[in-house]
Amino acid sequence: MAWGKSTGATELIAKAATSETLVVLPFRAFGDAECDALCRGLEGNCTLTELKASGHTLGHVGLGAVGSLLGSGRCALRRLAIGNSSLGGAGIRAMVVGLGKADCSLHALDLGLKGLGINEGDEEALASLLVRCTDLRELQVGRNPLGTRGLQYLASGCLARPLGGTLLHLELDETTIDGVALGALADTAVEHGALVSVRTLDLSRNPAIGGGPGDQLRRLLCALPSLRNLQLQACNLDGHAAAALGTALLGGPSAARPALVEMSLSDNPLLLAEPLANDAAGGEAVVATSASADGQDDVVLLSDI
């Protein structure tokens, strides 16, 4: 596609006929009319599996067309990123209306920075879509101010079932959640047997997670037996969190030990403070030992970084 402000969907439809991934760049004119035409052109397409169309303002017509395409059973789309920060709950509801009574066959859904959590009812709208995504493996809802209440609502509903059984990758970065929200996720995992497949969890840039006793963070880690990658950058973590992480990684007779192989703790300056006098190891630096991919033990110092 030539550089410039392209219009129409004919070129996009032609490209989709021979490509597995279609990217609609932000500088391209892509509104309701173009989105509706593209979705109609994709009916019966068995080649395209991924559509990346973030950064575009879409209304009920375009988003309804997306939902209708996904619910038609006549497309191969499995990965979707759509809309911009104006999407919100209203846009999600338009997609759900388009789905009709059908389930959504998406495997990956990127709703990062889509204005969710700003207006009342956004959480309910998001849940109404997610419960239809019965085979979702990757979910990105980062950079949306869902807050603790929003995450509690999702955890008790769509994340508990059926979505929670298939999810492998969950991004909750910059969603203004705190330790209470982590506790809600832990309860969902324990009480419903959900989230057992989650391998990657991104909680970065949620400073309200830090500063508390850290027990909710420990509970969450112990409730996710498949977790391999944990992102906790810029979460205001302190010595209490370090002790909680160390306790979780060491495991114990009554708690499962997460199988982490990668954890990011950058941009948490309070972790550089002196070790807690009365931490989980009786004043000593908390040392967590976990098996690495090559079978050797990795030693991670968490309260004496």
Side-chain angles (χ1 to χ4, degrees):
M1 181 175 66
W3 291 98
K5 194 170 185 178
S6 301
T7 59
T10 303
E11 181 187 359
L12 294 175
I13 295 170
K15 184 176 180 180
T18 58
S19 303
E20 293 184 358
T21 298
L22 180 64
V23 180
V24 185
L25 296 172
F27 61 74
R28 184 185 186 112
F30 188 77
D32 273 359
E34 292 81 11
C35 187
D36 182 51
L38 175 62
C39 289
R40 293 180 186 277
L42 290 178
E43 290 184 2
N45 181 301
C46 298
T47 304
L48 190 73
T49 59
E50 180 175 25
L51 174 60
K52 294 183 176 182
S54 287
H56 298 279
T57 301
L58 297 173
H60 287 172
V61 173
L63 293 167
V66 172
S68 180
L69 176 65
L70 292 173
S72 69
R74 300 186 63 241
C75 74
L77 273 181
R78 295 297 180 267
R79 305 177 68 87
L80 175 68
I82 196 79
N84 61 10
S85 59
S86 70
L87 183 76
I92 296 295
R93 281 188 285 271
M95 291 177 62
V96 173
V97 170
L99 274 172
K101 296 182 179 180
D103 283 334
C104 181
S105 58
L106 287 175
H107 290 173
L109 178 60
D110 182 354
L111 292 175
L113 194 58
K114 297 299 187 290
L116 295 167
I118 295 177
N119 297 310
E120 185 176 353
D122 282 0
E123 299 86 355
E124 289 84 351
L126 178 58
S128 70
L129 174 61
L130 294 181
V131 294
R132 310 285 285 279
C133 300
T134 56
D135 201 24
L136 200 65
R137 287 86 183 274
E138 301 176 22
L139 174 62
Q140 300 181 33
V141 290
R143 297 176 293 165
N144 291 295
L146 291 170
T148 293
R149 177 187 171 278
L151 190 59
Q152 285 178 304
Y153 183 88
L154 295 177
S156 63
C158 59
L159 293 181
R161 58 186 184 277
L163 174 63
T166 63
L167 207 59
L168 301 175
H169 182 103
L170 179 59
E171 292 191 18
L172 297 170
D173 55 301
E174 208 170 326
T175 48
T176 67
I177 58 176
D178 60 13
V180 175
L182 301 189
L185 282 177
D187 291 339
T188 294
V190 172
E191 295 173 13
H192 300 281
L195 304 176
V196 294
S197 299
V198 171
R199 297 174 63 88
T200 301
L201 177 62
D202 191 347
L203 299 171
S204 300
R205 296 181 296 284
N206 285 300
I209 288 178
D215 187 59
Q216 304 287 26
L217 181 58
R218 178 193 61 78
R219 288 182 58 233
L220 178 60
L221 292 187
C222 292
L224 301 177
S226 299
L227 191 63
R228 300 291 188 274
N229 185 311
L230 176 63
Q231 303 294 312
L232 285 166
Q233 301 99 307
C235 284
N236 194 35
L237 301 182
D238 58 10
H240 294 287
L245 288 168
T247 302
L249 291 175
L250 286 170
S254 61
R257 173 173 143 181
L260 279 175
V261 295
E262 181 178 350
M263 178 166 58
S264 177
L265 300 172
S266 61
D267 296 324
N268 286 290
L270 292 179
L271 286 177
L272 297 173
E274 291 296 322
L276 297 176
N278 296 307
D279 62 23
E284 299 295 330
V286 177
V287 180
T289 304
S290 59
S292 62
D294 60 6
Q296 300 298 316
D297 283 344
D298 293 333
V299 177
V300 183
L301 295 177
L302 295 173
S303 65
D304 193 22
I305 296 177

